[in-house]
Amino acid sequence: MADEVILLDYWPSMFGMRTRVALEEKNIKFDYREQDLFNKSPILLEMNPVHKKIPVLIHNGKPVCESLIQVEYIDETWPGGNPFLPSDPYQRAQAKFWGDFIDKKVYGPTRLIWGAKGEEQEAGTKEFIEMLKMLESELGDKTYFGGETFGYVDIAMIGFYCWFDVLEKCGNFSIEAECPKLIAWAKRCMKRESVAKSLPDSNKITKFVPELKKKIGIE
Amino acid sequence: MVERSEEVKLLGMWASPFSRRVEIALTLKGVPYEFSEQDITNKSPLLLQSNPVHKMIPVLLHNGKPISESLVILEYIDDTWQNNPILPQDPYDRAIARFWARFLDEQVYVTAMKVVGKVGEEKDAAVEATRDLLKLLEKELVGKDFLGGESLGFVDIVATLVAFWLMRTEEVVGVKVVPVEMFPEIHRWVKNLLDVDVIKKCIPPEDEHLDYIRARMESLKLKSV
């Protein structure tokens, strides 16, 4: 029986990118459906009634919500190829910890950087750099966060890379100057077909952010 | 059974629902552990060293290696001690369980905290918002003894923050956040939970807990004034 896989997504979302990358890594054919978040579709509201957010992965009609939960679901459902999570329980726990860290600590400051001004924006920038440095320290000299193989934490973080350009411009700082190892890691990831296919060009994001601000009513 | 020296230590806090859930999981699996009560107002070197990123409890130390974040710890416990599984086997069911766990921690807990910490209109709004979120949980419980189905599972363990912490908060704040008329299923589920030995063993003692919540509420109110 052929699997039917649908992804409800929004092209600039670094969360949606995680699921795209995960599906591509496993060579799963999926129907990508762009959503208008300012005019939410019936299918989005039906499949994610609790949060009404993207991404939503619909596998044979059944929805899975929350990007990291989707990544793990994809890994467990299609176990072929390189597993995203290590088999050792302690290593798995570390990977999940860092995925959670990215959600809780890295995303929030980015909204302040492109969405706020003055002191708020500065505070966001400062915190973002601090969080990136923690991640960089965790990465160390490894090829990927998990070691030699591309995995869960790499997938959790890589979507932010295409936002770096606009964040640097808004916050007036250089991520490469602050975290060169992280940039080197990102460039390695970008060489992977799954990543190159799933991330939009940085300049598309940079052009898009002023439009987004207008749409949500920020100056 | 292979004999090996296993050292399991939990850095926790007696009144924290996040700490208690780890104790429930360890107890359910029959894993002996040492509990180390932490003073979160004066964090120990061991805590700061074990969780340098968040500096928060609970932290599980297994043979000296630290694991932080309660949901990560629960999954680690399930992966490491495979008797009495907490998470379901099927990948889809696991995804659903993980979804509800996050919902409880990121939505229900955060909103419910405002009931404790705010006053007046803001408090009323928080009560309404908490109830809206709990209605989703209420729906999930229809036809089930536990959120995990026939027996206690991952989501039940996480949801003890509603069963004990939130419902005890009602006494202290003087508002029935979870009235039985609105939430008959939740009340039925709490009764089921209280019948389970592991739960009885692992929840904070009521009187001390009420005193603690009362004190916490006062200090939060002082902060918001």
Side-chain angles (χ1 to χ4, degrees), chain A residues 127-157:
Chain A
E127 197 171 339
F128 182 65
I129 294 171
E130 217 183 294
M131 299 301 120
L132 285 188
K133 287 192 165 157
M134 281 191 184
L135 274 170
E136 196 182 51
S137 159
E138 175 57 24
L139 174 68
D141 289 314
K142 295 179 288 192
T143 310
Y144 298 113
F145 278 94
E148 283 308 303
T149 49
F150 182 79
Y152 183 84
V153 183
D154 306 284
I155 295 173
M157 189 59 203

Side-chain angles (χ1 to χ4, degrees), chain B residues 42-111:
Chain B
N42 184 16
K43 292 173 182 180
S44 70
L46 180 59
L47 176 59
L48 297 174
Q49 179 193 315
S50 306
N51 189 359
V53 174
H54 299 299
K55 306 177 176 61
M56 297 211 299
I57 59 94
V59 180
L60 188 74
L61 289 156
H62 186 198
N63 295 328
K65 299 200 290 187
I67 303 115
S68 307
E69 289 302 299
S70 65
L71 296 183
V72 176
I73 297 172
L74 289 182
E75 294 217 25
Y76 174 79
I77 291 171
D78 214 29
D79 281 345
T80 304
W81 293 280
Q82 281 152 9
N83 60 319
N84 293 343
I86 296 173
L87 273 165
Q89 291 293 357
D90 172 71
Y92 188 74
D93 294 337
R94 289 161 79 83
I96 298 299
R98 287 169 177 145
F99 174 85
W100 286 111
R102 279 196 178 207
F103 172 78
L104 282 155
D105 279 2
E106 290 168 18
Q107 306 284 321
V108 177
Y109 175 73
V110 170
T111 309

Side-chain angles (χ1 to χ4, degrees), chain B:
Chain B
M1 194 183 93
V2 176
E3 284 289 313
R4 56 185 166 172
S5 90
E6 293 262 20
E7 194 199 71
V8 181
K9 187 168 179 168
L10 175 62
L11 308 183
M13 195 268 174
W14 71 274
S16 158
F18 304 98
S19 175
R20 289 283 173 167
R21 62 175 60 156
V22 176
E23 295 200 79
I24 293 170
L26 290 167
T27 308
L28 196 66
K29 300 213 179 225
V31 178
Y33 64 97
E34 180 199 332
F35 181 81
S36 171
E37 180 71 29
Q38 299 295 302
D39 179 355
I40 51 181
T41 63
N42 184 16
K43 292 173 182 180
S44 70
L46 180 59
L47 176 59
L48 297 174
Q49 179 193 315
S50 306
N51 189 359
V53 174
H54 299 299
K55 306 177 176 61
M56 297 211 299
I57 59 94
V59 180
L60 188 74
L61 289 156
H62 186 198
N63 295 328
K65 299 200 290 187
I67 303 115
S68 307
E69 289 302 299
S70 65
L71 296 183
V72 176
I73 297 172
L74 289 182
E75 294 217 25
Y76 174 79
I77 291 171
D78 214 29
D79 281 345
T80 304
W81 293 280
Q82 281 152 9
N83 60 319
N84 293 343
I86 296 173
L87 273 165
Q89 291 293 357
D90 172 71
Y92 188 74
D93 294 337
R94 289 161 79 83
I96 298 299
R98 287 169 177 145
F99 174 85
W100 286 111
R102 279 196 178 207
F103 172 78
L104 282 155
D105 279 2
E106 290 168 18
Q107 306 284 321
V108 177
Y109 175 73
V110 170
T111 309
M113 271 299 278
K114 295 187 185 155
V115 173
V116 177
K118 304 278 181 192
V119 289
E121 267 180 40
E122 277 190 293
K123 183 198 189 104
D124 292 339
V127 171
E128 274 317 298
T130 306
R131 284 181 181 161
D132 282 340
L133 294 169
L134 289 176
K135 282 177 187 153
L136 295 163
L137 215 67
E138 177 78 6
K139 264 177 84 177
E140 272 309 292
L141 279 165
V142 173
K144 289 188 196 156
D145 285 337
F146 295 97
L147 288 159
E150 282 169 37
S151 58
L152 193 77
F154 188 71
V155 187
D156 298 281
I157 295 174
V158 173
T160 52
L161 76 81
V162 170
F164 306 109
W165 182 83
L166 176 57
M167 310 242 313
R168 285 177 177 177
T169 305
E170 290 185 319
E171 279 215 39
V172 172
V173 301
V175 180
K176 277 257 165 260
V177 185
V178 196
V180 63
E181 322 83 62
M182 254 188 210
F183 300 101
E185 302 292 338
I186 290 182
H187 279 258
R188 182 177 61 84
W189 165 72
V190 174
K191 281 208 183 72
N192 290 340
L193 277 180
L194 281 170
D195 257 342
V196 180
D197 281 336
V198 172
I199 298 293
K200 278 190 273 205
K201 224 178 152 191
C202 294
I203 57 170
E206 188 161 7
D207 288 336
E208 287 97 318
H209 198 199
L210 289 172
D211 284 340
Y212 175 83
I213 297 172
R214 211 167 275 130
R216 189 103 199 274
M217 182 174 77
E218 289 310 314
S219 80
L220 282 169
K221 280 197 193 142
L222 287 170
K223 275 191 204 157
S224 69
V225 167

